[in-house]
Amino acid sequence: MKLIDLLKNSEERFRSAGFDSPEIEAAYMLEEVTGIRHNLLWTESERGLSPEEQTRAEDYMMRRLAHEPFQYICGWEDFRELKLNVAPGCLIPRPETELLVDFVLKALPRNGHACELGTGSGAIALSIAKERPDSRITASEISPDALAIAESNRKKYGLNNVSIVRGDLFASFDPDVKFDLLVANLPYIPEAVRDTLPRNVRDYEPSLALFADHEGMALIERALLEAPRYLKPGAPLFFEMGEEQGAALAGFARTQNCYTGIKILQDQYGVDRFLACIFAPDTCKKHCGTV
């Protein structure tokens, strides 16, 4: 079989299955199979395919037609300056989260020590570590599968200024350490909308990384409650959130009397996507007496 034949056949199968961009799906799949850049496939259109390539292409095709995410099929996803290992045990990093890293890089002081809650593949922590080698990052992850993936990514890039520990939010952090900054992309999807999600998300990405109680806000609220004892005065906090959760989460942060500068930040698509605030220990101590 020639490459052109497989390309046309793949496009038609994706088209018949109702995929939105059959040409793109086919091109990226065959780039992964053949090693030829997707935009150069036509220049190699008469090239014959080996039996191994044909077998791999059919395997990829069947998995993708079942709506398995391309990232799980191929085992990687680009995120900022990194090519991350990903697998069904971790959430697939999204473009919106790349902007969250920008906010962190601007706010983290020189030689600062940041913490991340729920690191997943390690995308946020490892990006900070790579782009700010002066910094240190301690990241937690409750899922052993995701933690193993994050650790594989850390070793892949030799980022020794990152420590990844298994634990539920702050549970495994040294209680005597105070961080300069907190960042988190915790699960924030309400369970009630599970059935409305695209199949590639609902059926393949881990529920532990997607859903949270209290209309999706339970873990973010818990993090806001527990954070003060782990932060230095004036430490900024950044949380990714659902686009309709901003008012409720900002209101919750205000009721704690531990945070100032509370605001909602938009992602690159103009959507409310991040909660930002600053730890204010004086008012927090008066309010809850735990700092």
Side-chain angles (χ1 to χ4, degrees), residues 31 170 201:
E31 175 180 335
F170 299 95
V201 176

Side-chain angles (χ1 to χ4, degrees), residues 79-82 84 98 100-102 104-106 108-116 119 121-139 150-151 153-164 181 183:
F79 187 88
R80 294 181 68 92
E81 298 179 10
L82 306 174
L84 296 169
E98 295 190 24
L100 180 58
V101 176
D102 277 336
V104 170
L105 294 175
K106 293 174 183 176
L108 184 62
R110 182 77 180 166
N111 299 315
H113 188 184
C115 71
E116 184 197 2
T119 196
S121 65
I124 294 173
L126 299 177
S127 291
I128 297 168
K130 187 173 190 303
E131 297 179 47
R132 282 285 303 276
D134 63 287
S135 67
R136 289 185 296 143
I137 302 92
T138 301
E151 184 62 18
N153 285 317
R154 188 195 68 78
K155 291 179 178 178
K156 177 180 180 180
Y157 288 98
L159 293 168
N160 295 323
N161 52 337
V162 178
S163 298
I164 306 171
L181 180 147
V183 61

Side-chain angles (χ1 to χ4, degrees), residues 128-285:
I128 297 168
K130 187 173 190 303
E131 297 179 47
R132 282 285 303 276
D134 63 287
S135 67
R136 289 185 296 143
I137 302 92
T138 301
S140 67
E141 175 52 57
I142 194 171
S143 163
D145 292 335
L147 187 142
I149 294 165
E151 184 62 18
S152 75
N153 285 317
R154 188 195 68 78
K155 291 179 178 178
K156 177 180 180 180
Y157 288 98
L159 293 168
N160 295 323
N161 52 337
V162 178
S163 298
I164 306 171
V165 296
R166 185 179 176 190
D168 182 10
L169 299 185
F170 299 95
S172 296
F173 290 168
D174 183 341
D176 295 326
V177 173
K178 302 292 185 182
F179 296 102
D180 296 290
L181 180 147
L182 181 151
V183 61
N185 179 16
L186 296 165
Y188 57 73
I189 299 176
E191 180 65 41
V193 305
R194 178 188 288 264
D195 292 341
T196 69
L197 296 176
R199 288 176 57 187
N200 59 299
V201 176
R202 181 188 67 229
D203 296 345
Y204 289 96
E205 295 195 70
S207 294
L208 186 64
L210 294 172
F211 301 104
D213 293 334
H214 193 210
E215 299 181 341
M217 297 180 289
L219 288 173
I220 300 175
E221 291 175 344
R222 204 182 112 206
L224 286 165
L225 285 170
E226 297 178 9
R229 68 190 62 189
Y230 297 94
L231 299 175
K232 292 180 181 179
L237 300 87
F238 298 94
F239 295 92
E240 186 165 329
M241 63 175 194
E243 61 185 274
E244 298 179 353
Q245 296 171 343
L249 286 173
F252 181 87
R254 290 188 188 97
T255 64
Q256 304 314 301
N257 293 320
C258 292
Y259 303 104
T260 186
I262 300 166
K263 54 187 174 182
I264 304 303
L265 305 174
Q266 294 184 325
D267 62 22
Q268 57 268 57
Y269 309 112
V271 174
D272 290 347
R273 183 61 64 194
F274 310 107
L275 171 69
C277 55
I278 298 171
F279 174 49
D282 291 340
T283 56
C284 193
K285 186 174 183 179

Side-chain angles (χ1 to χ4, degrees), residues 2-19:
K2 293 181 179 179
L3 179 54
I4 183 61
D5 298 322
L6 182 56
L7 181 59
K8 290 181 177 180
N9 177 264
S10 299
E11 289 176 3
E12 182 53 38
R13 291 173 73 179
F14 280 125
R15 187 174 295 107
S16 297
F19 280 70

Side-chain angles (χ1 to χ4, degrees), residues 40-147:
L40 299 176
L41 289 170
W42 286 97
T43 68
E44 301 280 342
S45 61
E46 294 300 311
R47 201 199 92 172
L49 296 168
S50 69
E52 292 78 14
E53 288 174 327
Q54 293 181 57
T55 298
R56 193 181 314 124
E58 183 61 21
D59 174 60
Y60 286 5
M61 171 65 72
M62 295 305 296
R63 291 169 66 181
R64 188 69 188 110
L65 288 176
H67 294 273
E68 181 175 354
F70 178 87
Q71 294 89 340
Y72 289 163
I73 295 171
C74 299
W76 61 271
E77 173 65 313
D78 286 325
F79 187 88
R80 294 181 68 92
E81 298 179 10
L82 306 174
K83 186 173 184 177
L84 296 169
N85 301 328
V86 295
C90 73
L91 188 75
I92 297 168
R94 268 47 173 197
E96 296 89 333
T97 309
E98 295 190 24
L99 187 59
L100 180 58
V101 176
D102 277 336
F103 294 133
V104 170
L105 294 175
K106 293 174 183 176
L108 184 62
R110 182 77 180 166
N111 299 315
H113 188 184
C115 71
E116 184 197 2
L117 307 179
T119 196
S121 65
I124 294 173
L126 299 177
S127 291
I128 297 168
K130 187 173 190 303
E131 297 179 47
R132 282 285 303 276
D134 63 287
S135 67
R136 289 185 296 143
I137 302 92
T138 301
S140 67
E141 175 52 57
I142 194 171
S143 163
D145 292 335
L147 187 142

